[in-house]
Amino acid sequence: GQNKAYDEMINEEEEASKADIDSLCSAIMRYKPDENKNVSVKNLVSWKLLKQTGSILHPSAAFNLLTCNTEYFAKIQCALFKGTEKVDFLDRKEFGGPLYEQIENACVFVMQHINKGAQIDGLVRQDRYELPLAAVRELIVNAVLHRNYLLHSSIQVSLFDDRLELLVPGGLYDGLTKEEMLSGYSSIRNRLLADTFLRIGIVEKWGTGIKRVFKECDAYGIERPEYTVEN
């Protein structure tokens, strides 16, 4: 009714801690140091990640997700299965904490559990994973960015003998259709997260993620991923 995304909601009952503020400022500067040399509280307030009332700084839901992350289901569950069904676990991990750390940890999990070979280009030997890592990372970023954080379920990244599968809580947002999504249109559910990811370079620009995934898969000579949408 307020035309606000969930991640824009301010928790008026809480005060953001200095440790969380310093941690997020440092992370933003670390990801894109050339453009974010001196990120401060003023920046976080102007970006609406914090709301200042007198001397008190209240956190937005996005600030919480990017720092201490007290949301129980705002996690990524990763699993390696034997065979092609969710029956026998070979390895599994659950990653909480700041969303940007979850993305990196999930990418490392996938990288550790897919095969790696070598490709010879002239005299140069190059390591080659069986899946394009840039596409894998893009898929995980999109899952974190577009999921519905009000649902009581986590993102699941599952590796099988024959595929990588991601389950993302929440259907498409604001009337967006699957066909529109695949053609590059974007409807942002978590606007502050999208702005922050764009600002620190985790995403390049809105609505280009799926096209980049398709481009990486085409260049790698593998099939493009299949998307299933359930409301």
Side-chain angles (χ1 to χ4, degrees):
Q2 299 178 23
N3 191 32
K4 286 185 178 180
Y6 165 72
D7 65 339
E8 295 174 318
M9 302 303 290
I10 300 295
N11 187 345
E12 303 282 359
E13 305 299 321
E14 295 287 338
E15 181 176 358
S17 73
K18 184 179 185 303
D20 284 340
I21 293 171
D22 291 345
S23 175
L24 182 55
C25 290
S26 296
I28 293 172
M29 290 186 286
R30 185 171 67 251
Y31 268 86
K32 213 169 184 180
D34 292 339
E35 296 184 22
N36 300 296
K37 293 181 180 179
N38 296 295
V39 177
S40 67
V41 169
K42 290 183 178 180
N43 296 114
L44 300 186
V45 171
S46 68
W47 298 338
K48 299 182 180 179
L49 291 168
L50 296 172
K51 178 183 176 181
Q52 186 163 8
T53 304
S55 61
I56 299 176
L57 294 165
H58 299 290
S60 65
F63 179 87
N64 177 36
L65 290 167
L66 292 166
T67 54
C68 57
N69 190 2
T70 56
E71 298 290 343
Y72 183 80
F73 291 99
K75 301 174 182 176
I76 302 179
Q77 298 171 332
C78 296
L80 173 68
F81 292 94
K82 181 179 180 180
T84 60
E85 298 181 358
K86 289 185 176 180
V87 179
D88 298 320
F89 285 98
L90 296 177
D91 191 14
R92 55 181 165 180
K93 296 272 175 58
E94 182 174 271
F95 301 112
L99 294 185
Y100 56 88
E101 290 184 2
Q102 292 186 30
I103 292 168
E104 301 304 331
N105 288 331
C107 289
V108 169
F109 182 92
V110 172
M111 185 174 66
Q112 289 174 339
H113 291 297
I114 58 177
N115 294 322
K116 182 173 72 171
Q119 179 176 318
I120 306 300
D121 184 6
L123 298 177
V124 180
R125 179 186 184 276
Q126 294 182 332
D127 291 333
R128 178 184 169 92
Y129 289 89
E130 62 180 321
L131 295 174
L133 297 182
V136 170
R137 186 177 189 279
E138 192 69 41
L139 289 168
I140 294 172
V141 168
N142 284 347
V144 169
L145 182 57
H146 294 293
R147 68 151 292 175
N148 185 344
Y149 285 96
L150 293 172
L151 296 180
H152 290 182
S153 55
S154 300
I155 295 169
Q156 294 183 350
V157 179
S158 302
L159 281 163
F160 302 89
D161 287 355
D162 62 345
R163 71 190 186 281
L164 168 67
E165 181 179 285
L166 279 80
L167 294 180
V168 185
L172 296 178
Y173 181 67
D174 199 24
L176 187 72
T177 67
K178 177 180 174 180
E179 290 71 26
E180 289 171 336
M181 176 190 72
L182 294 176
S183 65
Y185 289 96
S186 181
S187 183
I188 304 299
R189 174 181 275 116
N190 302 298
R191 293 183 291 225
L192 279 188
L193 291 179
D195 282 342
T196 305
F197 280 16
L198 184 65
R199 186 167 283 111
I200 65 181
I202 292 178
V203 298
E204 292 182 5
K205 53 185 177 179
W206 293 0
T208 62
I210 290 178
K211 288 188 174 182
R212 281 202 298 275
V213 169
F214 286 169
K215 183 178 179 181
E216 290 288 338
C217 292
D218 292 344
Y220 227 70
I222 63 173
E223 292 184 17
R224 293 180 174 186
E226 297 180 7
Y227 288 84
T228 302
V229 176
E230 297 180 4
N231 293 321

